Amino acid sequence: MKTKVLDTLERPLRDLRISLTDRCNFRCRYCMPEEIFGPDYSFLSADKILSFDELERLTKIFVSLGVKKVRITGGEPLLRKDLPLLIERINNIEGVQDIAITTNGSMLKTYAEALYNAGLTRVTVSLDSLDDARFRQLNGNRGKVKRVLDGIQAAADAGLKVKVNMVVQKRKNEQDILPMAKYFKEKKHILRFIEYMDVGNSNGWKMEDVVSKKEILDRINAQMPLKPIDPNYTGEVATRFQYEDDQQEIGIISSVTDSFCANCSRARVSAEGKLYTCLFATKGFDLRKLLRTSDDDQVVTQKISDIWNHRTDRYSDERANHAPHKKSKVEMSHIGG
Ligand code: SAM
Ligand code: SF4
Ligand code: SF4
C-alpha cells in the first residue's frame, strides 16, 4: 500500500539518496581533505554499513511512502563490491521509476557495461577540470582527467545517459568553466555547474570562494548564448538552459545564491544507515538499529513517516542566518551529494 507523506512545508517525499560507503579513492579538498581524511582516519567497518538486503528492504519502505527516484552515491559508490547486483535489486522494486548513480568516474570504464546490464539507465560523473594538473590539485593528487573521460566514454558506449557535475570554486577552477562547457557541448553530455557549498565542517568554506550562478551564466553567455528552459519536473535541483545554436542543455545547481528548498523532496540515508532530511543536517536518525532490531516493516515505515511529517529543513533558504562552522554538520562523504 502507498501512503504519501508530507512535511511541515507540504513537501512530499519523492527522492531517496543512498550513500553506499564513506570511503573514496579521491581526496577532493571540498569534500574529504587529505589532512582530515588521512591514513589514520577511521572509516566505517563492514558490519556498520547497511547490507544489500537492508538497502533493498529500506528502499521498498521508502517507495511505499512515495519515493520514485533513487540515487546511489557515496563516498565513491563504485568502491562497493558487486554494485551492479544492488542496482538490479533496486531496479526490480515496483514503484522505482528512476535509478541513477553519482561517481567520480575513475572506475567507470570497468563497470559501465555491467551497470547498464543491471538496469541502470543514467550516470552522473563528477569532473571539475579538463586540465590534468589542476584536476589533480583538486582531487588530492589521485585522479587523472583521461581516466574519468574514458569512464564517461565507456558509459556512453554502454548505452548510459551521462551528466557531468562540475563544482566551481573561485581561484581554483573558474578558468575551466568555458573549456568544460565547450567540451561537453560538443560531446552532447549535459554539464551541470554546482556552486561550491558549505557542506560538512572540514572544507573551510567561505562565501567569497563561491562562483555564483549569475557569474557562471555571464561567462558562458558572453561566448555561447544560452536561453532558459522549463524544469523537467517540480523540485528539479538544476535550473536548465539551452545553447541557442544547437539546443544542447546545461544546468546550474545554485544552492548558495538561488536556493531551492521550497520544493526539496529528498531524503538521504548515510552509509551507516542514518536518515537525514537535509544535506546540511547536524543529526540523523539511526535506521540501521531499527532495521536490525525489528522485522516489522510497519515499524520502520511509521518512524520514517513521522520524521518526514515533522521535517522543517530549509538550510539554504536560511543560510545567511546560520553562523557558519558553529554547528557540527554531517560530512558530504557520509551522505553523498
Ligand atoms: N564520489 C562521487 C562523486 O564525486 O561523484 C559521489 C559522492 S560526491 C560527495 C557527490 C557530489 O557532491 C559530487 O559531484 C561532488 O563534486 C559534490 N560535492 C562534494 N562536496 C561538495 C561541496 N562542498 N560543494 C558542492 N558540491 C560538492
Ligand atoms: Fe570522493 Fe566524490 Fe568526495 Fe571527491 S567528491 S572526495 S570523489 S566522495
Ligand atoms: Fe533540501 Fe536542505 Fe538543500 Fe534545502 S538545504 S534544498 S532542504 S537539502
Side-chain angles (χ1 to χ4, degrees):
M1 206 194 58
K2 293 229 165 115
T3 340
K4 193 173 155 191
V5 288
L6 295 177
D7 69 9
T8 60
L9 301 171
E10 306 273 303
R11 297 170 297 187
L13 169 54
R14 247 193 321 248
D15 305 82
L16 174 63
R17 301 198 168 193
I18 302 172
S19 171
L20 286 190
T21 173
D22 60 336
R23 289 166 201 261
C24 187
N25 54 335
F26 284 13
R27 286 292 177 275
C28 306
R29 289 212 53 82
Y30 52 62
C31 177
M32 296 178 78
E34 187 94 57
E35 61 274 15
I36 292 169
F37 296 87
D40 297 331
Y41 187 81
S42 120
F43 288 99
L44 294 166
S45 54
D47 60 315
K48 298 237 163 62
I49 286 179
L50 293 190
S51 67
F52 284 4
D53 284 347
E54 288 166 336
L55 286 168
E56 186 182 6
R57 180 180 169 204
L58 201 53
T59 306
K60 281 185 183 154
I61 291 170
F62 271 102
V63 167
S64 78
L65 291 170
V67 161
K68 295 182 171 48
K69 298 177 72 177
V70 179
R71 178 169 293 274
I72 303 292
T73 173
E76 176 46 45
L78 285 169
L79 286 178
R80 188 81 186 252
K81 196 166 165 272
D82 297 328
L83 176 62
L85 289 181
L86 178 70
I87 299 289
E88 197 169 344
R89 288 171 72 165
I90 290 182
N91 201 35
N92 285 337
I93 297 173
E94 201 184 327
V96 172
Q97 293 175 1
D98 184 59
I99 171 162
I101 66 170
T102 306
T103 170
N104 64 29
S106 62
M107 289 167 282
L108 199 50
K109 192 171 172 189
T110 312
Y111 294 109
E113 212 169 297
L115 289 166
Y116 179 81
N117 291 337
L120 191 74
T121 53
R122 53 199 202 86
V123 62
T124 302
V125 181
S126 307
L127 179 65
D128 294 339
S129 177
L130 289 168
D131 177 273
D132 217 36
R134 217 156 26 244
F135 185 49
R136 286 179 79 80
Q137 233 166 36
L138 292 165
N139 66 39
N141 226 1
R142 308 289 173 109
K144 288 199 157 180
V145 172
K146 179 169 184 316
R147 224 177 136 86
V148 180
L149 293 181
D150 287 351
I152 290 174
Q153 189 58 47
D157 291 347
L160 292 165
K161 278 196 212 110
V162 180
K163 281 185 189 162
V164 178
N165 276 358
M166 171 185 179
V167 177
V168 189
Q169 288 174 273
K170 272 262 158 70
R171 299 172 296 277
K172 294 260 170 67
N173 66 339
E174 53 187 325
Q175 63 272 57
D176 294 307
I177 295 174
L178 272 174
M180 287 280 288
K182 279 185 188 144
Y183 182 86
F184 288 107
K185 181 174 190 275
E186 210 159 278
K187 290 280 178 191
K188 302 204 181 310
H189 296 313
I190 297 176
L191 173 61
R192 297 185 318 173
F193 298 93
I194 305 179
E195 287 179 352
Y196 173 41
M197 293 185 285
D198 49 336
V199 197
N201 317 289
S202 51
N203 62 12
W205 181 90
K206 292 194 284 318
M207 185 65 204
E208 69 218 46
D209 296 334
V210 176
V211 182
S212 69
K213 170 182 174 179
K214 181 175 181 311
E215 286 172 84
I216 296 170
L217 278 176
D218 285 351
R219 281 182 192 227
I220 302 175
N221 249 323
Q223 301 234 352
M224 299 182 285
L226 288 160
K227 58 176 185 229
I229 50 174
D230 289 337
N232 286 308
Y233 51 87
T234 315
E236 189 170 16
V237 179
T239 330
R240 303 168 67 213
F241 298 86
Q242 236 173 24
Y243 292 109
E244 284 188 356
D245 63 352
D246 68 355
Q247 318 279 293
Q248 179 57 37
E249 181 180 333
I250 64 156
I252 310 219
I253 301 177
S254 54
S255 163
V256 181
T257 67
D258 188 10
S259 57
F260 38 78
C261 299
N263 291 314
C264 179
S265 52
R266 291 175 287 284
R268 295 176 154 89
V269 174
S270 68
E272 71 265 57
K274 286 210 174 132
L275 169 63
Y276 293 92
T277 54
C278 179
L279 185 54
F280 302 90
T282 49
K283 224 169 66 221
F285 176 80
D286 190 355
L287 286 173
R288 184 185 69 199
K289 191 162 163 207
L290 200 57
L291 288 169
R292 292 185 184 176
T293 50
S294 175
D295 286 338
D296 186 351
D297 284 355
Q298 204 40 48
V299 171
V300 186
T301 310
Q302 192 56 50
K303 188 71 212 177
I304 297 172
S305 170
D306 286 350
I307 291 171
W308 195 265
N309 284 152
H310 287 96
R311 177 182 188 242
T312 55
D313 306 281
R314 41 196 295 270
Y315 179 92
S316 289
D317 282 355
E318 299 170 332
R319 182 176 271 105
N321 308 329
H322 293 274
H325 307 301
K326 290 268 162 63
K327 280 186 178 174
S328 177
K329 289 175 279 174
V330 61
E331 291 298 331
M332 184 68 126
S333 55
H334 266 252
I335 54 170

